[in-house]
Amino acid sequence: MSVTDRVPRSRLDAQGIATGAEIFWNLTTAPLVEHAVRRGEGLLAKDGPLVVRTGLHTGRSAQDKFTVRDELTDNVIWWNKGNKPMEPAAFDRLHDDFLLALGSMEQLYVADLYGGSQPEHRVKVRVINEFAWHNLFIRTLLVRPEAEELADFAPEYTIIDLPSFRADPERHGCRTETVVAVNFAKKLILIGGTAYAGEMKKSVFGLLNFILPPKGIMPMHCSANIGHEGDTAIFFGLSGTGKTTLSADPKRTLIGDDEHGWSDTAVFNFEGGCYAKMIRLSAEAEPEIYATSKRFGTVLENVVIDPVTRELDLDDATHAENSRGAYPIDFIPNCSAENMGPTPKNVIMLTADAFGVLPPIARLTPDQAMYHFLSGYTAKVAGTEIGVTEPEATFSTCFGAPFMPRHPSVYGNLLKQRIAEGHVSCWLVNTGWTGGKYGVGKRMPIKETRALLDAALDGSLNNAQFRKDPNFGFEVPVAVPGVDSRLLDPRSTWADPAEYDATAAKLVDLFVDNFAQFADHVDEGVRRAAPGVGQSGLQDHPQAQATLA
C-alpha cells in the first residue's frame, strides 16, 4: 500500500479549508515520529519513546473552554463554569481566523479516526494538526480505521488544533489567548494557544457525551474489564481512587482505562489507546504501564530526559507534576482485541475516603447507585505539613463533571435505567482510610480491597450476610472470607467511637448539602437514597427535610 492510498476522497477543500500547506494524510507511527524529530518537536529516548514538551500548558485549560450557545444547545447544555457559553458570531470570527492561520501554514498533519469502538455507535472525527507529534498523539489515543476504510472516510466532526494560534478575547469572546471552542451545530472544535495534547482527547469525550445520551447510550468516565465468564465490570472513580490499578487485573481482560459507552449490547471503549500518569512510575508498582515508557510508539509528555544519554527520569517533576504517556492499548498485555465486552454484571464506584468513615465495600440499590454517581465523591488530604491533617471532600458529578455537556441527571437517569434493566450489581468501594481520618488512620490494605472486589465480581459476595449502615443506609457485608471483619465495620476500627460518629455526621452533611443542586432533577426514590444521620429516614437531616418538602 502506498502513502497516497491513505488519502481520502473527501479532502480539506470540501470543508471550506484553503491552504497551500503540504498536507500529510493519515501517516502511521514511524513516519510521524520521523517528522516530529526532524522538525525539532521532540527527542527519541534511549529505549524508543518520543519525548515532547507541552510548554506553559501541562494540563487542560478548563477555564478557557467554551461551547457555542445557539438553538441546538441553549436548553440542552448544563451551563456552568465548566460549560461556558460563546456567542455564535464570536465563534464565526474565531473560525475565520483559524482558516487564515491554516492558509499560512507550510505543513499540516491530518488524521481520520473514530471516536468509539462499536461500529454502529462510533463517530467519524477528522483532526487537523500543526504539529506532527500532536497527530501521533491523537492517532494513538483514538480508534484507528483499517487502511481500506480511509479512502471513503468522510468526517462527521472536525478538530483543528493550532498551538501557535493566539486568540483575541475581545474579538473572539474568550478569556485569554488560549481557547477551546466547541460548536455542536457546525460539528467543529477549535483548539488554540496550548500545546497540551490532552485537549483533543477530552474534546472527543465531550462530543460523545453530547451525542450519545439521546440514543440511549450511556457515556462513562470509567475503566472496564472482563472476567473469564464474560462478566464485564465497570470502574468509576476520580484520580487517586485506584481506577486504573484495580481494573488492570491479570485475571481479567482489559477493555479500556478511561472512557467507555454502555449500549444495549456492549460496553465499548471510546479510545484505542491509554493516557497514563508517568510521574514517579515504577516497575514494581505498575509494571505494565512502566513497560510502555520503554517502547517505540509511546509519546511521553513533559518527562525529564538527559539530552546526551537519552535516559529518562520519571521521578523528576521539573517540567510538570502531570507528566504523561500516550500509548496504544495493545501495549498492555491481556487487553481486549475488539475494545469491547458484554454489558456489565457489576458497577464499581471507587472512592478514597480520607475521613475514614465509609466501609471498604457496600452494596447499592439502583437509587443509591444514581445518588452516589451524581455525587461523585472522593476526599483528598489538605497537605502533609505538621498539624494539617483535615481531609477535604471532593464532589465531581458523574465522576467526570468537566466533560459532561448535558445536565448530570441525564447521565444519572441513564445509569439507573441500565442498572435496573440489566439486574446489575452495584458496589461502593472505599480505597481510602480506616481506623481514623487521614493523619490518624491508615490506608485501606490493597490485599483486602482486592479480596472484596474478587468476591463482588465472582458473585459470592451477594450471598454474604449484610447489615444496614446507620449513616448511609447501604448494605455492608458482615463477614467475607480472607478479610478482617473489623475492617467491615469502620466504627469499630476507631479508638474513639464518639469521634467516628461526629465525623460520619459531618460527612453526611457534606453529601446532603452537595446533592441539593440535583434534588429537583431526580425522582423521590433517589432523593430518599441520600444519607441521613441515624438513617431512620431523610427527615433526620434539616437540609433533607427541605429537599423532600
Side-chain angles (χ1 to χ4, degrees), residues 117-387:
S117 298
Q118 190 168 11
E120 56 266 45
H121 302 308
R122 66 194 181 193
V123 61
K124 295 178 179 179
V125 180
R126 172 167 289 170
V127 186
I128 303 169
N129 292 118
E130 176 181 359
F131 292 165
W133 84 260
H134 270 193
N135 207 243
L136 172 60
F137 172 95
I138 199 61
R139 184 181 182 277
T140 301
L141 263 295
L142 294 188
V143 179
R144 298 163 289 281
E146 297 296 330
E148 58 270 18
E149 297 176 292
L150 291 172
D152 294 322
F153 191 99
E156 299 169 87
Y157 291 83
T158 299
I159 297 173
I160 305 175
D161 189 339
L162 304 178
S164 66
F165 184 90
R166 296 294 179 263
D168 179 344
E170 186 173 344
R171 173 173 168 78
H172 300 135
C174 53
R175 191 180 71 100
T176 68
E177 291 185 338
T178 298
V179 65
V180 179
V182 181
N183 191 321
F184 287 115
K186 293 191 173 183
K187 300 184 175 182
L188 181 61
I189 299 170
L190 305 175
I191 303 171
T194 172
Y196 180 68
E199 296 285 10
M200 293 182 286
K201 162 190 160 70
K202 288 306 183 186
S203 291
V204 176
F205 186 39
L207 168 63
L208 290 166
N209 283 333
F210 180 78
I211 66 177
L212 291 181
K215 301 177 181 180
I217 299 165
M218 174 68 186
M220 303 174 292
H221 189 213
C222 69
S223 59
N225 63 25
I226 320 168
H228 295 303
E229 303 299 322
D231 53 305
T232 297
I234 289 169
F235 298 79
F236 291 105
L238 299 173
S239 179
T241 59
K243 177 164 60 82
T244 298
T245 299
L246 293 173
S247 63
D249 185 337
K251 302 186 298 295
R252 300 173 64 85
T253 299
L254 181 69
I255 300 174
D257 75 329
D258 197 35
E259 302 170 4
H260 296 81
W262 181 350
S263 70
D264 290 337
T265 58
V267 168
F268 61 99
N269 195 345
F270 285 168
E271 303 183 307
C274 301
Y275 193 35
K277 289 184 179 180
M278 289 285 152
I279 191 69
R280 290 178 285 279
L281 195 69
S282 71
E284 294 73 29
E286 299 280 1
E288 294 177 340
I289 299 176
Y290 180 84
T292 69
S293 71
K294 296 180 175 293
R295 292 194 61 171
F296 180 83
T298 292
V299 180
L300 297 177
E301 291 180 330
N302 301 314
V303 169
V304 173
I305 180 173
D306 186 302
V308 177
T309 67
R310 304 296 176 89
E311 294 275 2
L312 302 176
D313 187 348
L314 299 181
D315 295 326
D316 191 336
T318 298
H319 300 327
E321 183 68 27
N322 189 39
S323 61
R324 286 184 174 266
Y327 49 87
I329 193 171
D330 59 15
F331 279 16
I332 299 294
N334 201 35
C335 68
S336 166
E338 297 80 21
N339 270 6
M340 291 193 294
T343 55
K345 291 187 177 180
N346 288 279
V347 167
I348 314 295
M349 297 184 190
L350 300 167
T351 181
D353 176 29
F355 289 90
V357 167
L358 296 179
I361 197 165
R363 185 167 62 183
L364 306 176
T365 66
D367 283 332
Q368 289 170 337
M370 181 174 176
Y371 183 93
H372 285 276
F373 177 71
L374 290 177
S375 296
Y377 166 72
T378 192
K380 58 185 178 181
V381 297
T384 56
E385 309 94 275
I386 295 174

